[in-house]
Amino acid sequence: DNRDVLSQVLDTATRRQPGSLPESIRIAILGDSEILGSALDIVGVYLKNYEVDKAAAVIETIMPFCRRRGGPWLIKALNHISTVRMKQARPQDALCFLEEVEQYVGSKYGPEEQEAWEFWETVYRNFAWVMSSLSRTQDAIAYVQRAIDVKTRVGREASWFDHWDLGRMKATLALRSEEKNNIRDAQDEIRKALHLHKQAEPEDRVMCAKIWNSLGECALAMGHLAERKVGTEDLDFSSPANCEESREHYQQALQCFEESRTLFEETEGRLNPLTGNAAQAAGWAAVKLMDDDRAKKYLFNALEAASQQQSGWGDGADVESPALLSAHRVVQQLLEVHKRTDDRESLPRYFHSLEMLCYNAAQRLGMPGKHKDSVVQEALVSSCAILLMGAGSSSGQQR
């Protein structure tokens, strides 16, 4: 059953009381503090398990009831819905909810009370996440620093998470300005985070995988800049590396992404979006290195994960869809690597995932022509069709 738990409870209650209005039953049920609290907890569980659709359905249902109660109920609900919007690739909406949190808590409880330093640290981290997604990297770095400052005032040192946050955001800034030395500095910051994390929380393999992924992104960026230095022509993400320096960086990136993907697969599963993203990055590095067998393996993993992915599509808003852009790149790289190896025989294994990917995109974005990224969506469908036709089988042609 794809419906969320809350919908099932409400539907069952409505059927059992056929003489009552559904809305009155809803109000009676969600007016109960224990049920409302459980519903808020369910949102957190759904988010932790990447069930973004179900998390959105529950939080949107209970939000009016949390607003009526105010206080901690509203604060927790606002934090949840901002996280849901970020998972849906709707950072501007998430920012509005976070600003409401900051204003509400500041007016009710006072700014940055020492007793609530952990709350403010979390709020500022969430602001940094949103600002980074809005390409406001300087603002993101400022919010990370505010999170560190809150801890400093109560005698706490910067953690591995602080170093990771600062490192990856500084890397983003350095890549935009093509400042290679600054990317190296960011790498050093992230390596420090990895070292501190292994000491502080060696059992947390998911965060270890995320840090490895950030190191890979830095190496991938260095490879890109090395290629730009050699050739001024537009660089294609499927073309082989054009110099030895870039190959060295891509080799380092591949090692980092493989470590990340392995940890994600062992902890979250093969089709988890985190595993899929790491597989895509590993596939990208392998494509640049012309390690085609490895590229096919990782890109297939990325394709399977993308075909089931719930996050990053920009659901319900006419905004850019990171998941769509990412999926299109995966399919394009699959096309390129099969083209240069003249490999038609292994194409059928992609058929189901290609079909499900197009269906997933259409369900979330509508048919091409209804969304900001319609051109990309049309290109995705076209590339999927080429892969389906490329095998020369009747099954592919029918699909």
Side-chain angles (χ1 to χ4, degrees), residues 36-312:
L36 189 61
S38 296
L40 278 168
D41 291 340
I42 286 170
V43 177
V45 172
Y46 280 147
L47 286 171
K48 187 175 182 180
N49 288 280
Y50 303 93
E51 294 280 0
V52 180
D53 294 342
K54 292 180 179 180
V58 174
I59 193 62
E60 288 164 7
T61 299
I62 66 176
M63 196 71 205
F65 297 89
C66 294
R67 286 195 181 281
R68 288 174 197 168
R69 286 179 174 268
W73 299 91
L74 178 57
I75 295 168
K76 188 171 184 178
L78 288 169
N79 274 317
H80 274 334
I81 198 168
S82 68
T83 302
V84 167
R85 294 297 181 252
M86 281 300 295
K87 296 288 186 182
Q88 292 175 324
R90 296 167 60 178
Q92 192 60 54
D93 292 340
L95 178 59
C96 292
F97 288 119
L98 280 179
E99 288 173 339
E100 186 177 350
V101 171
E102 187 176 37
Q103 183 179 7
Y104 183 82
V105 175
S107 64
K108 286 279 185 180
Y109 305 105
E112 295 186 14
E113 294 182 16
Q114 288 192 355
E115 294 81 3
W117 69 268
E118 290 174 301
F119 167 80
W120 286 106
E121 180 195 18
T122 301
V123 169
Y124 293 147
R125 288 199 188 287
N126 289 341
F127 266 111
W129 182 23
V130 171
M131 294 300 179
S132 179
S133 295
L134 291 169
S135 299
R136 295 169 56 178
T137 311
Q138 290 284 18
D139 291 331
I141 292 172
Y143 271 110
V144 172
Q145 189 59 54
R146 289 181 72 175
I148 294 172
D149 292 343
V150 166
K151 291 197 298 186
T152 301
R153 284 196 287 272
V154 294
R156 304 221 170 213
E157 296 182 355
S159 67
W160 61 264
F161 200 105
D162 299 315
H163 290 290
W164 177 55
D165 249 0
L166 281 174
R168 62 199 179 97
M169 290 176 187
K170 286 179 178 178
T172 299
L173 202 61
L175 179 59
R176 284 201 193 118
S177 57
E178 300 189 3
E179 296 174 358
K180 186 165 63 173
N181 290 336
N182 289 353
I183 296 179
R184 287 200 182 96
D185 292 341
Q187 277 182 308
D188 291 341
E189 191 88 39
I190 296 170
R191 285 194 189 97
K192 184 175 182 179
L194 183 62
H195 175 71
L196 292 173
H197 176 268
K198 287 181 177 180
Q199 290 182 325
E201 301 179 43
E203 74 287 348
D204 186 356
R205 302 171 75 202
V206 173
M207 281 309 311
C208 184
K210 290 182 178 181
I211 300 172
W212 273 112
N213 198 72
S214 295
L215 281 172
E217 289 173 344
C218 287
L220 198 70
M222 293 288 282
H224 174 77
L225 292 182
E227 285 196 275
R228 287 284 300 272
K229 185 172 66 176
V230 172
T232 56
E233 72 279 0
D234 290 337
L235 296 171
D236 185 88
F237 51 72
S238 297
S239 61
N242 63 5
C243 64
E244 185 59 34
E245 182 185 351
S246 67
R247 281 189 285 273
E248 290 176 1
H249 290 304
Y250 289 134
Q251 187 62 53
Q252 181 187 2
L254 178 58
Q255 292 169 357
C256 293
F257 290 136
E258 285 184 319
E259 181 71 23
S260 176
R261 197 205 70 87
T262 298
L263 288 169
F264 280 137
E265 184 176 22
E266 291 173 350
T267 55
E268 304 298 303
R270 174 181 170 80
L271 301 182
N272 184 277
L274 292 173
T275 310
N277 288 338
Q280 180 195 341
W284 189 343
V287 167
K288 300 299 288 186
L289 291 165
M290 295 192 72
D291 190 343
D292 294 329
D293 288 340
R294 200 178 295 188
K296 291 173 188 176
K297 169 188 170 182
Y298 291 135
L299 291 172
F300 182 31
N301 185 183
L303 175 65
E304 289 182 297
S307 72
Q308 300 183 27
Q309 184 172 329
Q310 295 183 19
S311 57

Side-chain angles (χ1 to χ4, degrees), residues 261-385:
R261 197 205 70 87
T262 298
L263 288 169
F264 280 137
E265 184 176 22
E266 291 173 350
T267 55
E268 304 298 303
R270 174 181 170 80
L271 301 182
N272 184 277
L274 292 173
T275 310
N277 288 338
Q280 180 195 341
W284 189 343
V287 167
K288 300 299 288 186
L289 291 165
M290 295 192 72
D291 190 343
D292 294 329
D293 288 340
R294 200 178 295 188
K296 291 173 188 176
K297 169 188 170 182
Y298 291 135
L299 291 172
F300 182 31
N301 185 183
L303 175 65
E304 289 182 297
S307 72
Q308 300 183 27
Q309 184 172 329
Q310 295 183 19
S311 57
W313 291 97
D315 302 43
D318 192 18
V319 296
E320 288 187 353
S321 172
L324 177 63
L325 295 169
S326 176
H328 178 239
R329 184 164 59 240
V330 168
V331 175
Q332 283 290 98
Q333 288 180 326
L334 275 172
L335 266 173
E336 176 60 28
V337 76
H338 278 268
K339 179 181 176 181
R340 73 188 184 197
T341 57
D342 194 24
D343 176 11
R344 293 171 177 265
E345 292 181 359
S346 62
L347 289 178
R349 66 173 177 168
Y350 307 132
F351 284 1
H352 177 70
S353 295
L354 289 168
E355 193 172 20
M356 291 305 300
L357 175 60
C358 291
Y359 175 78
N360 195 13
Q363 285 290 104
R364 298 178 181 283
L365 306 176
M367 296 302 289
K370 295 184 177 181
H371 194 268
K372 186 173 184 177
D373 282 334
S374 284
V375 173
V376 179
Q377 190 177 357
E378 290 170 359
L380 171 65
V381 174
S382 176
S383 297
C384 288

